Amino acid sequence: MLELAILGLLQEAPMHGYELRKELATKLGTIRAAISYGTLYPTLKRLQTAGWIGTADTADSDTIPPLTSKRGRVVYKITAEGKERFAELLAQVGPETYDDAGFGVHFAFFSRTDRATRLRILEGRRRRIEERREGLREVLARASDRLDAYTLELQRHGLDACEREVRWLEELITNERSGRPPAASAGETPPEPPRPHQDRP
Amino acid sequence: MLELAILGLLQEAPMHGYELRKELATKLGTIRAAISYGTLYPTLKRLQTAGWIGTADTADSDTIPPLTSKRGRVVYKITAEGKERFAELLAQVGPETYDDAGFGVHFAFFSRTDRATRLRILEGRRRRIEERREGLREVLARASDRLDAYTLELQRHGLDACEREVRWLEELITNERSGRPPAASAGETPPEPPRPHQDRP
DNA sequence: TTCGTCATGTAATGGGTTACATGATTAC
DNA sequence: GTAATCATGTAACCCATTACATGACGAA
């Protein structure tokens, strides 16, 4: 997941680690907290060793690092192999693609994913959430007398979130099928033109 | 978190590992997927070594395990020290208490938590979610032109979830303050008798 | 008798974190 | 000049997972 995210961001623009972390945080802020440097930097090295990313600066001028050991910022950019790898990871859909983290990252790069794959992922995710939803409904139906009020409240809140996400996914799937891009536009859009989005009728 | 959850469940009834896993799944189904045996059993051993839980069967009859090596089910029950430990963990509120996992587990055992602590946790969680919400709002306000439609859609959906959770927490906080139990009742819960539970004095 | 599920466990591995250490650059 | 933030990196650790191995028990 991290690998996919890093390659995806570097595909948009070359960046150094620190910057990457921030971009990661804004792009995947809904999914997970900011990644730690202890993960980020070793990962970058790994990706470089694999040949998927390269450092811009060392490649540019002299390869000899300054003797003063003043580490400057290291700007990474994606390589041709890296782009291939990214495309491969992006198209690689499995069970992990449907859990929170996997889905989130894949979704965040949907604009680089073909529509067929997008649909597959959205539908897989929907199924996953529907299963969770059914599990919660069963608990609420069968075990509600065995559980205390707080636990029940937690389940109800979870169920609610599931139902909401299923509806959201449904909408996205419909949009995909009809060829429309995602709803877009929110914030303080003034005149609010088309926005043909309809809630429960 | 796992430790807290196990001690909490064993406080309700003695159980063997396999059963515990299922109970864990229904109680914390909203928080996380079922725990793996590779985690569960070593953890149980650890808790036993620490003296917080004990096996019922080996203590009962002959301590000598059958030569046929037929491992039977090992029923664990909480010890007096375990109960103390549980109370300690339950009251131990820190930053991790406010992230998804920590909050979920704590909330699931709210019926064993005193009201002051419940309020502290709910308010801490609310603050945490409000921060996340503000972060998302800022991204949507400042970076919306830099991000593609799918990424934006993800942020919007995340923002929505945050707003919803804050409202939920607000309601719970109000209820707590006015001394009412959580909303309860959703399905077809009939009158639901008082269920006299006392907080630790 | 065979299949599914109940039941317990270990070893290898993974994916991350925290704590620590270093130093450059910018704003005041 | 000093504080905050930018910036990179390592080592130790933690929590959990997967894959594997074993075996009991009940139902078809």
Side-chain angles (χ1 to χ4, degrees), chain A residues 70-105:
Chain A
K70 47 143 85 173
R71 306 176 276 200
R73 29 157 85 177
V74 183
V75 176
Y76 291 96
K77 60 178 171 186
I78 195 162
T79 64
E81 297 95 315
K83 287 182 187 178
E84 273 176 54
R85 174 68 178 162
F86 176 69
E88 190 190 318
L89 287 173
L90 206 56
Q92 204 172 86
V93 174
E96 342 78 64
T97 314
Y98 306 132
D99 56 37
D100 295 339
F103 173 73
V105 176

Side-chain angles (χ1 to χ4, degrees), chain A:
Chain A
M1 301 291 83
L2 220 203
E3 194 179 311
L4 178 61
I6 290 175
L7 293 176
L9 281 181
L10 288 184
Q11 188 136 359
E12 283 165 17
M15 259 176 277
H16 59 269
Y18 195 89
E19 210 178 341
L20 199 48
R21 188 179 112 118
K22 274 196 302 187
E23 286 302 301
L24 233 40
T26 81
K27 183 123 184 172
L28 302 179
T30 39
I31 321 293
R32 46 160 296 141
I35 197 169
S36 69
Y37 298 121
T39 307
L40 179 60
Y41 290 114
T43 301
L44 285 171
K45 284 221 162 157
R46 211 194 77 225
L47 296 185
Q48 189 182 8
T49 306
W52 297 325
I53 63 178
T55 61
D57 59 355
T58 53
D60 274 351
S61 46
D62 49 316
T63 331
I64 306 119
L67 292 171
T68 49
S69 92
K70 47 143 85 173
R71 306 176 276 200
R73 29 157 85 177
V74 183
V75 176
Y76 291 96
K77 60 178 171 186
I78 195 162
T79 64
E81 297 95 315
K83 287 182 187 178
E84 273 176 54
R85 174 68 178 162
F86 176 69
E88 190 190 318
L89 287 173
L90 206 56
Q92 204 172 86
V93 174
E96 342 78 64
T97 314
Y98 306 132
D99 56 37
D100 295 339
F103 173 73
V105 176
H106 269 89
F107 192 88
F109 291 105
F110 258 19
S111 58
R112 295 183 185 277
T113 311
D114 60 288
R115 202 202 300 179
T117 306
R118 289 200 299 257
L119 267 168
R120 222 164 103 225
I121 292 175
L122 289 171
E123 283 162 356
R125 174 68 175 178
R126 181 182 53 182
R127 161 167 266 183
R128 175 70 65 89
I129 302 297
E130 280 169 349
E131 279 162 13
R132 192 189 294 176
R133 184 189 63 188
E134 292 318 307
L136 287 172
R137 279 189 182 151
E138 245 170 65
V139 167
L140 283 169
R142 298 208 209 305
S144 65
D145 48 341
R146 207 157 48 77
L147 299 171
D148 63 287
Y150 287 106
T151 305
L152 283 176
E153 183 58 37
L154 191 59
Q155 313 273 328
R156 242 174 290 127
H157 182 243
L159 177 56
D160 203 69
C162 284
E163 286 168 344
R164 218 167 283 286
E165 180 161 354
V166 168
R167 262 179 265 135
W168 180 65
L169 289 166
E170 222 106 67
E171 222 179 286
L172 288 169
I173 289 168
T174 307
N175 279 347
E176 287 294 340
R177 280 208 239 270
S178 64
R180 263 170 312 207
S185 86
E188 57 282 2
T189 329
E192 188 100 49
R195 202 159 171 40
H197 125 280
Q198 50 169 331
D199 268 0
R200 63 216 85 197

